[in-house]
Amino acid sequence: MLYQAEREQLAEIVKKMFSRYETNTAGGNVSVRINDQHIIMTPTHMSQKYHCDISPYQVLVVDMDENIVEGDGRITREINMHMACYKHNREIGCVLHAHALQSMFFATMGIDMPNLTEATQKFGNIPCLDFAPATSKELAEKVKHYLENKTLESVINAILLNKHGVLITDTNLIKAYDNLGRLEYNAYIAEKALLFDKLGICKIENKELNYNVDE
């Protein structure tokens, strides 16, 4: 079995995502760059059909031409969004797309998420992209365009997909999943902070602080 340890780890992570409301039956997919030839990726319908409880062999090994090398399942139509990230910057080692409960509020409303917590400062802005249909080439192009307008050194990204979900990139799976958890906590806090701000209870401060962004 190719890349057994990596596929076992990915299967374990997506199961946690579902149980923690970090994605839902409507979708979500995760891929990891193994080397210059292969990525591993969750199969289509992993959420709807399997509730993210998949075996390591259901995690697909896919080449850079989007051909299945090994694994039981079909490639998700959202692979074009993943490939747009990998081809933009070879330092990106994981692309995580989820329908995370708290972050979905901002994505559904089509608004940028205020970045308020110290743990999320490394993301910089948390933008909501203009709408494009799920799985479409148009959506992949919008993601590609956003990345191209950032510096090439920017490997860490937390992006809201309008009416759809979130897209996170980082150097590896563990960091990307850690970022999803950070984003969800920030979303929970940001929603309430916006309410307090509008009600005049406490204004959101935009002061530049000496945040610790080292891990």
Side-chain angles (χ1 to χ4, degrees), residues 14-34:
V14 296
K15 187 175 182 180
K16 287 180 180 178
M17 284 172 56
F18 194 86
S19 66
R20 296 176 66 184
Y21 299 97
E22 292 167 336
T23 201
N24 61 11
T25 53
N29 31 75
V30 187
S31 65
V32 179
R33 188 199 296 268
I34 299 296

Side-chain angles (χ1 to χ4, degrees), residues 131-145:
F131 176 77
T135 77
S136 67
K137 289 184 179 180
E138 181 186 358
L139 179 58
E141 282 297 315
K142 286 187 181 296
V143 170
K144 179 183 176 183
H145 180 72

Side-chain angles (χ1 to χ4, degrees), residues 7-209:
R7 290 159 81 180
E8 287 175 350
Q9 184 183 58
L10 181 50
E12 178 184 357
I13 290 293
V14 296
K15 187 175 182 180
K16 287 180 180 178
M17 284 172 56
F18 194 86
S19 66
R20 296 176 66 184
Y21 299 97
E22 292 167 336
T23 201
N24 61 11
T25 53
N29 31 75
V30 187
S31 65
V32 179
R33 188 199 296 268
I34 299 296
N35 48 45
D36 289 340
Q37 288 75 45
H38 296 144
I39 64 169
I40 58 174
M41 188 171 194
T42 53
T44 190
H45 295 154
M46 74 145 181
S47 300
Q48 183 183 54
K49 189 173 181 181
Y50 301 105
H51 296 173
C52 296
D53 189 6
I54 58 175
S55 73
Y57 198 74
Q58 286 175 285
V59 176
L60 306 176
V61 178
V62 180
D63 67 23
M64 290 302 178
D65 294 319
E66 303 180 15
N67 300 305
I68 295 176
V69 176
E70 187 175 277
D72 181 16
R74 293 185 294 114
I75 298 176
T76 172
R77 291 178 294 168
E78 289 188 316
I79 192 171
N80 49 12
M81 187 167 63
H82 291 248
M83 285 299 182
C85 298
Y86 290 127
K87 291 177 180 179
H88 166 71
N89 189 341
R90 71 178 313 278
E91 297 303 314
I92 290 176
C94 179
V95 180
L96 187 156
H97 167 51
H99 300 173
L101 181 61
Q102 304 295 337
S103 300
M104 279 293 294
F105 168 77
F106 291 92
T108 302
M109 296 300 292
I111 57 176
D112 298 348
M113 185 191 300
N115 190 345
L116 301 179
T117 71
E118 186 169 33
T120 50
Q121 290 308 301
K122 63 179 181 176
F123 299 160
N125 294 331
I126 306 173
C128 185
L129 303 186
D130 292 337
F131 176 77
T135 77
S136 67
K137 289 184 179 180
E138 181 186 358
L139 179 58
E141 282 297 315
K142 286 187 181 296
V143 170
K144 179 183 176 183
H145 180 72
Y146 171 78
L147 294 175
E148 286 175 345
N149 283 308
K150 295 189 70 177
T151 60
L152 192 61
E153 291 75 20
S154 179
V155 177
I156 302 170
N157 294 283
I159 307 166
L160 304 176
L161 306 177
N162 200 311
K163 307 293 186 291
H164 186 172
V166 304
L167 184 70
I168 290 172
T169 69
D170 209 318
T171 55
N172 61 56
L173 173 61
I174 296 302
K175 287 187 175 182
Y177 185 55
D178 170 69
N179 291 344
L180 178 60
R182 293 172 186 236
L183 185 69
E184 277 290 85
Y185 265 78
N186 184 77
Y188 177 82
I189 291 162
E191 180 185 347
K192 290 164 180 58
L194 286 170
L195 287 172
F196 272 41
D197 185 273
K198 291 299 182 183
L199 291 171
I201 297 171
C202 182
K203 292 294 182 181
I204 296 176
E205 293 185 344
N206 294 313
K207 293 192 300 184
E208 291 289 333
L209 300 174

